Amino acid sequence: MYRKFLLIFLYLYALVFSVSKTIRIPNQWAQSHWLVDYRFGFIKRGLAGELLGFLCEKNTFSVTALSVLVLAVLYFFIVSIAVKITWNNTRSYYRILFFVIFLLSQYIVFAAHLIGYLDHVVFLMTIFTVYLITRNKLFPASIIAVFSIFIHEISIVLMLPVCCFAIIVNQVPERKFSIKNVFSPNVIKKLALFLTLPFLSAVFISGYQEVNGGNYYTQLFSYLKQSSISEKVADSVCSAYTKSFTYYFSEQYEYFFQRIFISKATIFYGIPIVFCLWMIFKEFKLNIQLFILLIVISAIPLILHSIAYDTYRIWTFPYMILFLGFWILSLKYKRDSGQTKPEKFSWWEYVFFITAFLFVSLIPAILFDGETERFSVAVKLILMLPILGILYFIKKSSSQN
């Protein structure tokens, strides 16, 4: 029991440390997304604002309250899942290190900084969808995915791939994974049942945006200005809502390879992400084909680099995909905690962990609106000591037992 309490404290401490760096109230970009609805006709991302307007008056207070609630619920599920997975095998050091890196990661930091963004709603709905999929409730999961796409089309690359991964892992016989089995009639049938409605929704939104997206710019701009949104932000939001996907692709695609391979995020985000992948591989002793599939699924959000310029925000998404992937795999590939021996780490794995740990803990995140993290390097070093102390104690006690 003492060990479990220590693990809960470790996870909560890491979460609070990350959140405290950048937490703030929703900025005007986030507020604008909750203000936009279908008052001028159908428009992408309008569903969230439409639902909020149905429930209450849309103003700064209601948007802030809802944003705090969504983020709090998302963090609650993240910590709950992490604790439950760890409790299933408290002797697995791979699990503990994975969740520590994730809870310190730039995803948690940015989620607090970008409070109110619709990404959080999408990931919250993804958790519900994956839960339904693991219980073979594919049609309700498909309906949630449709709503998620109408809330934000980013669901296409954040939600759908990891949900397909959940279906594949859930349907392919345990320890017999192969690409051939992925294309079996049973798996294809399950994927089709889940994907048909979301796919049609995505095609509809994309097609409508290409043809009619620019019709509402003037009305939206005027509406946001009247809602106390600055002219600069209103223009940016209206452009995001009304310009076509092909426009953004033509503007941004030439920077795609630079953002993936030679940006600062390639190192500062990429190394911790690779460490998380390695922990998953070691924990579940994955079939190499399944491991490659997980790598592909986690990398799919990086496609957004071809249409969007917020490089550092996009680089945070693979962390959350890997977290969901870890959860999915833990539900399928369960290990007996009573028979599992403590893992033996090589010296390079310790170096790998320390490097990833320093990158997610010490390297300042490049934030929006010209803001910077609250803690200096010296303060971070002090606040990191309890985490390292608890990890050392857990490892030492496992070795002694």
Side-chain angles (χ1 to χ4, degrees):
M1 182 59 68
Y2 176 74
R3 183 184 179 89
K4 292 181 176 180
F5 172 79
L6 198 61
L7 286 171
I8 294 174
F9 176 79
L10 172 65
Y11 291 163
L12 288 177
Y13 184 91
L15 177 71
V16 172
F17 172 52
S18 298
V19 171
S20 299
K21 293 179 182 179
T22 61
I23 186 68
R24 59 173 179 171
I25 63 173
N27 63 4
Q28 289 197 339
W29 174 271
Q31 293 177 31
S32 298
H33 277 65
W34 288 105
L35 293 174
V36 174
D37 50 34
Y38 296 145
R39 68 183 63 203
F40 304 117
F42 177 80
I43 191 169
K44 70 175 185 178
R45 308 182 194 176
L47 181 57
E50 189 73 18
L51 293 175
L52 178 60
F54 178 78
L55 295 173
C56 63
E57 180 182 354
K58 291 193 288 188
N59 51 42
T60 301
F61 175 78
S62 62
V63 170
T64 300
L66 181 60
S67 300
V68 171
L69 177 62
V70 168
L71 187 61
V73 173
L74 178 62
Y75 282 157
F76 171 79
F77 278 113
I78 285 174
V79 174
S80 298
I81 291 170
V83 169
K84 185 176 181 180
I85 292 175
T86 308
W87 280 7
N88 289 337
N89 185 1
T90 57
R91 300 184 71 183
S92 171
Y93 209 51
Y94 297 130
R95 300 185 181 209
I96 297 171
L97 293 187
F98 174 88
F99 289 123
V100 166
I101 293 298
F102 172 73
L103 291 169
L104 293 173
S105 73
Q106 294 91 341
Y107 173 77
I108 300 296
V109 172
F110 263 89
H113 178 63
L114 302 179
I115 182 173
Y117 273 45
L118 297 180
D119 308 346
H120 308 338
V121 181
V122 169
F123 275 127
L124 193 55
M125 296 180 76
T126 302
I127 291 174
F128 296 148
T129 307
V130 168
Y131 176 83
L132 291 173
I133 288 172
T134 58
R135 281 149 183 79
N136 291 312
K137 300 179 186 291
L138 295 183
F139 185 72
S142 180
I143 297 299
I144 294 178
V146 169
F147 277 95
S148 183
I149 289 172
F150 277 94
I151 286 175
H152 201 305
E153 71 282 0
I154 202 173
S155 305
I156 297 169
V157 295
L158 297 188
M159 172 187 276
L160 297 188
V162 75
C163 288
C164 290
F165 180 77
I167 292 172
I168 292 169
V169 170
N170 200 41
Q171 295 300 319
V172 175
E174 186 173 353
R175 300 301 178 189
K176 295 182 180 180
F177 181 89
S178 69
I179 298 300
K180 181 180 178 180
N181 288 336
V182 171
F183 292 98
S184 66
N186 179 58
V187 176
I188 294 298
K189 180 181 177 181
K190 300 290 185 181
L191 289 171
L193 176 60
F194 172 74
L195 285 174
T196 298
L197 291 178
F199 174 77
L200 292 175
S201 301
V203 169
F204 167 74
I205 292 174
S206 301
Y208 189 91
Q209 185 72 13
E210 293 293 323
V211 177
N212 300 307
N215 295 343
Y216 304 111
Y217 180 92
T218 303
Q219 298 98 312
L220 279 176
F221 184 80
S222 177
Y223 165 60
L224 292 176
K225 285 277 291 178
Q226 293 173 8
S227 303
S228 301
I229 302 299
S230 70
E231 183 173 330
K232 180 180 179 180
V233 174
D235 175 68
S236 179
V237 171
C238 290
S239 296
Y241 271 75
T242 59
K243 290 183 178 179
S244 67
F245 296 116
T246 54
Y247 169 82
Y248 280 106
F249 180 76
S250 64
E251 289 286 314
Q252 302 295 329
Y253 80 93
E254 61 183 297
Y255 306 107
F256 177 75
F257 288 101
Q258 180 267 327
R259 290 165 177 164
I260 288 184
F261 296 112
I262 54 175
S263 69
K264 292 181 180 178
T266 306
I267 302 298
F268 297 145
Y269 293 50
I271 288 179
I273 288 171
V274 173
F275 176 81
C276 290
L277 278 165
W278 181 246
M279 289 296 96
I280 294 175
F281 179 78
K282 295 283 284 188
E283 170 64 23
F284 299 105
K285 299 178 173 60
L286 289 184
N287 173 297
I288 190 63
Q289 295 182 62
L290 179 57
F291 184 56
I292 292 173
L293 178 62
L294 177 62
I295 293 173
V296 172
I297 295 297
S298 64
I300 285 177
L302 299 181
I303 293 174
L304 293 169
H305 287 308
S306 64
I307 60 172
Y309 55 83
D310 42 352
T311 302
Y312 295 96
R313 169 173 164 254
I314 292 171
W315 264 102
T316 67
F317 293 145
Y319 285 111
M320 189 60 182
I321 301 300
L322 289 177
F323 172 83
L324 294 169
F326 197 109
W327 179 35
I328 292 165
L329 291 167
S330 71
L331 294 173
K332 182 72 173 183
Y333 305 136
K334 296 180 180 178
R335 294 169 61 182
D336 186 351
S337 61
Q339 297 179 0
T340 302
K341 297 180 180 180
E343 300 90 351
K344 293 183 179 180
F345 278 68
S346 62
W347 66 268
W348 71 265
E349 286 178 314
Y350 283 113
V351 172
F352 198 4
F353 167 71
I354 292 298
T355 303
F357 180 81
L358 292 176
F359 279 175
V360 295
S361 302
L362 287 184
I363 303 298
I366 308 298
L367 304 179
F368 285 36
D369 305 321
E371 294 196 0
T372 57
E373 292 185 2
R374 292 186 177 88
F375 304 142
S376 65
V377 173
V379 172
K380 289 178 183 178
L381 286 170
I382 295 172
L383 294 176
M384 287 160 48
L385 292 178
I387 298 175
L388 293 174
I390 294 173
L391 288 174
Y392 175 78
F393 176 82
I394 291 174
K395 184 61 177 176
K396 185 177 181 180
S397 62
S398 295
S399 301
Q400 289 176 345
N401 290 334

